[in-house]
Amino acid sequence: MDALLARAAAPRYSNEVWVLVDDQEASLSLYRGDTLLERFEPISLGRGGAEPQRLRGSRETPLGEFRVSRFNFESKFHTFIGLDYPTPLHARMALQSGVFSEQQYDDYFAYYRRHGQPPQSTVLGGYIGIHGVGVADPDIHRRFHWTDGCVAVTDAQIETLSSMIDIGTRVVIR
């Protein structure tokens, strides 16, 4: 995972619009190529911290490289930008570590092939994304990591971000 994250934290091509979430800095940066367009801080991550391998209910934010898969503009968190978690890499890591059985691994890929997106109800959890504060407490947001595994920014910031990215935008969480 470390090698993947080192390679992922750079643009794929000069005009690529992409997002970098930095756990250590508690920041979210939006880039076009190497040019910083927006930087939001502080952000909130999962109460359980950020880990390469997340389990359902752990309240950890998964590390890795993701793609934006959906937008929900009627979320209780103002706007929800869904990510394609768990990725095939996360499934492979789960198999290698014994978290997934061979059958669960096969089921993951069967679902992925059939639906074009990862299943959200595995032992790895799902429904990971970037969202606003919405119904949550803005004061808590400014002071603590409070989410169940997502990345949270303010409502104004999520509006800005959602207007500048699209389905397929690459998101790196490190």
Side-chain angles (χ1 to χ4, degrees):
M1 180 63 74
D2 290 337
L4 168 89
L5 291 176
R7 286 190 313 271
R12 295 287 186 255
Y13 52 93
S14 63
N15 210 26
E16 178 191 25
V17 174
W18 63 287
V19 175
L20 175 63
V21 176
D22 192 308
D23 171 42
Q24 298 300 313
E25 296 180 7
S27 66
L28 182 152
S29 300
L30 177 66
Y31 291 91
R32 178 179 302 278
D34 287 323
T35 303
L36 179 66
L37 301 176
E38 295 282 344
R39 182 176 171 94
F40 306 133
E41 58 185 339
I43 62 169
S44 294
L45 300 174
R47 288 177 241 186
E51 295 293 332
Q53 189 168 19
R54 174 189 196 275
L55 299 176
R56 181 177 47 230
S58 69
R59 296 183 169 167
E60 294 168 333
T61 301
L63 299 174
E65 183 175 19
F66 308 94
R67 296 284 177 170
V68 171
S69 60
R70 62 197 177 282
F71 288 84
N72 177 359
F73 294 102
E74 297 178 13
S75 167
K76 70 180 183 178
F77 296 114
H78 193 67
T79 296
F80 183 88
I81 301 170
L83 302 178
D84 65 344
Y85 174 83
T87 66
L89 174 60
H90 290 97
R92 191 167 32 261
M93 288 175 13
L95 176 65
Q96 291 169 344
S97 67
V99 170
F100 264 8
S101 67
E102 287 282 346
Q103 185 61 56
Q104 289 169 313
Y105 185 74
D106 292 345
D107 290 347
Y108 168 91
F109 280 101
Y111 184 98
Y112 204 112
R113 282 189 299 276
R114 189 169 42 258
H115 298 281
Q117 60 188 6
Q120 299 296 288
S121 60
T122 71
V123 69
L124 300 177
Y127 304 104
I128 296 295
I130 305 169
H131 59 70
V133 174
V135 299
D137 185 331
D139 188 48
I140 296 291
H141 174 75
R142 284 188 291 274
R143 296 178 25 218
F144 302 103
H145 288 316
W146 59 270
T147 75
D148 286 339
C150 292
V151 175
V153 296
T154 68
D155 292 348
Q157 291 167 340
I158 199 67
E159 287 182 18
T160 298
L161 182 63
S162 65
S163 73
M164 298 177 79
I165 64 173
D166 208 341
I167 301 293
T169 298
R170 194 167 59 90
V171 175
V172 177
I173 302 176
R174 67 166 188 195

